[in-house]
Amino acid sequence: MKTRIRNSNSRTALLISLLLIAFRPGFAQNTVFPSSDLFGRKYKIGETYRYQITMEELHDGKWDHSNIAVCELKVVLDSLGVPYDEVRWISRKTINAKDTLDATNAARSVKPYLISLDSKGKLDLPKIEYPDMTEPIQDFNTFFVALSPMIGTTKLKNKGDIIINKEPVKADFSNGSSILKGEDCISFSVEMTDISKTQVMIHTSFFPPSQSCLSFLTSDMNPPIVPDTINNFQMVMQTGQDQYLVQYGREYFYINSTVQKSDGKIISATMFNKLNLKMKIGCNKEYQNCQFEMPFTEIRNLKLQLLP
């Protein structure tokens, strides 16, 4: 990975969808959201099942690396009697042009944590103690957020039903180490695109709002990178002593999910995530006097599969 602009150990900007909902102003911690008789999650205590999540990342149109991770879920009740999936990570590896890096030890070291699509449940992120597991943990949660009652998904009843939230939501994905500052600003929509006797197809889109909710670090970061679309992303990484990398621009992503009507499980889902950025390289601590600036495009294609 060159001047590593971003890497599989750093935040991949999808935390926006998690914080976007879990900490959205106006939602009390004990808010109960509508459930769905059509495809709402129906938990069976004690059931275990596994998912594989695969991520392919392209830089400026060229494949850079792929990640493959597997987790096991077990249905449990929390202290209030609400059903949750207890998530345990089984394996993770990264494939690049030179070799394959095995991070299975890191995966198995992650403490089990709870997530739930129940109307009374939550999708809180666990504390990430192993950097190699940042992406799979956050991306996996993002697939669940895309179907959460918290964004109105369970209000959809018929093919073509759509809910649009244009109100911008700001999220902070700084991690205090590799990412000194990370912010994005997103609106979202959710649509039922198809329905059959056994399955429901849902399209969830996260996109730049019409008005920004960010205060950019420097004034030259305000003009749009993509014409007629506001910038909605900024990130700072330290690359050396008093040397900083600043990235800013437009981010969007969407998720297509296939859900089993009988129990509300995700059968499969795909995610497309694109960032059109400019990078200011070798900047000082005021993010000025940068050595040079260049455009950069990142595309991430992800697939979530329920394993047999």
Side-chain angles (χ1 to χ4, degrees):
M1 299 185 177
K2 31 192 171 182
T3 301
R4 204 56 175 174
I5 300 143
R6 291 153 61 101
N7 58 55
S8 54
N9 292 333
S10 68
R11 183 59 190 103
T12 61
L14 296 183
L15 180 55
I16 50 175
S17 63
L18 315 177
L19 298 182
L20 158 116
I21 307 304
F23 304 106
R24 188 176 172 201
F27 286 162
Q29 286 295 313
N30 60 351
T31 300
V32 177
F33 297 92
S35 58
S36 171
D37 294 331
L38 181 62
F39 65 97
R41 187 71 176 93
K42 302 174 184 68
Y43 289 98
K44 183 179 179 181
I45 307 304
E47 181 182 16
T48 61
Y49 53 107
R50 291 186 176 189
Y51 281 103
Q52 176 174 289
I53 182 168
T54 304
M55 189 281 293
E56 174 191 66
E57 187 167 311
L58 292 81
H59 293 176
D60 291 331
K62 297 180 180 180
W63 176 78
D64 187 83
H65 67 279
S66 297
N67 295 333
I68 302 172
V70 174
C71 63
E72 182 174 271
L73 281 61
K74 180 179 180 180
V75 180
V76 299
L77 293 176
D78 74 353
S79 60
L80 298 177
V82 178
Y84 276 80
D85 282 314
E86 182 182 69
V87 182
R88 294 176 182 269
W89 287 92
I90 305 300
S91 65
R92 182 197 185 277
K93 62 182 177 180
T94 296
I95 304 168
N96 58 40
K98 294 182 178 180
D99 53 23
T100 298
L101 307 175
D102 191 340
T104 294
N105 287 339
R108 292 181 177 271
S109 297
V110 174
K111 296 176 182 177
Y113 59 93
L114 302 179
I115 60 174
S116 178
L117 287 173
D118 187 85
S119 59
K120 298 179 182 179
K122 298 179 184 179
L123 289 169
D124 295 345
L125 270 176
K127 180 180 179 182
I128 297 178
E129 299 176 327
Y130 300 90
D132 284 341
M133 292 303 297
T134 300
E135 271 193 337
I137 289 173
Q138 294 175 343
D139 288 336
F140 186 66
N141 264 50
T142 302
F143 279 109
F144 275 62
V145 168
L147 295 172
S148 170
M150 291 180 279
I151 65 172
T153 306
T154 51
K155 295 179 181 178
L156 304 175
K157 305 297 181 184
N158 302 292
K159 179 179 178 179
D161 285 355
I162 185 170
I163 295 172
I164 301 175
N165 186 331
K166 295 182 177 180
E167 180 183 351
V169 178
K170 178 180 176 180
D172 187 328
F173 54 89
S174 308
N175 63 12
S177 55
S178 59
I179 302 176
L180 301 181
K181 188 175 185 67
E183 294 178 335
D184 43 23
C185 182
I186 287 287
S187 293
F188 66 88
S189 66
V190 58
E191 177 183 9
M192 184 181 292
T193 55
D194 206 354
I195 185 171
S196 69
K197 290 183 179 180
T198 60
Q199 300 176 349
V200 172
M201 279 60 79
I202 302 294
H203 176 84
T204 311
S205 180
F206 299 87
F207 51 89
S210 57
Q211 294 184 341
S212 180
C213 56
L214 300 183
S215 296
F216 285 99
L217 298 170
T218 58
S219 60
D220 62 332
M221 296 168 64
N222 287 297
I225 300 299
V226 178
D228 302 320
T229 305
I230 67 167
N231 296 337
N232 67 327
F233 174 94
Q234 64 177 344
M235 186 170 76
V236 177
M237 302 175 70
Q238 187 166 2
T239 56
Q241 186 174 359
D242 297 326
Q243 292 279 307
Y244 298 88
L245 169 69
V246 179
Q247 299 177 64
Y248 66 98
R250 191 275 305 267
E251 175 188 31
Y252 74 93
F253 65 97
Y254 57 81
I255 296 173
N256 290 309
S257 307
T258 300
V259 183
Q260 196 162 264
K261 291 170 70 174
S262 60
D263 57 12
K265 279 183 190 171
I266 303 172
I267 300 172
S268 64
T270 59
M271 183 192 307
F272 177 82
N273 174 216
K274 184 174 184 179
L275 293 99
N276 297 92
L277 305 175
K278 277 192 177 180
M279 297 190 305
K280 301 165 69 174
I281 298 170
C283 307
N284 62 24
K285 62 182 180 180
E286 283 79 32
Y287 313 125
Q288 302 286 353
N289 300 325
C290 305
Q291 295 175 10
F292 64 97
E293 184 174 309
M294 61 181 286
F296 177 72
T297 300
E298 178 178 301
I299 292 176
R300 301 171 71 248
N301 293 304
L302 296 99
K303 184 175 183 179
L304 182 68
Q305 299 168 277
L306 178 64
L307 297 178

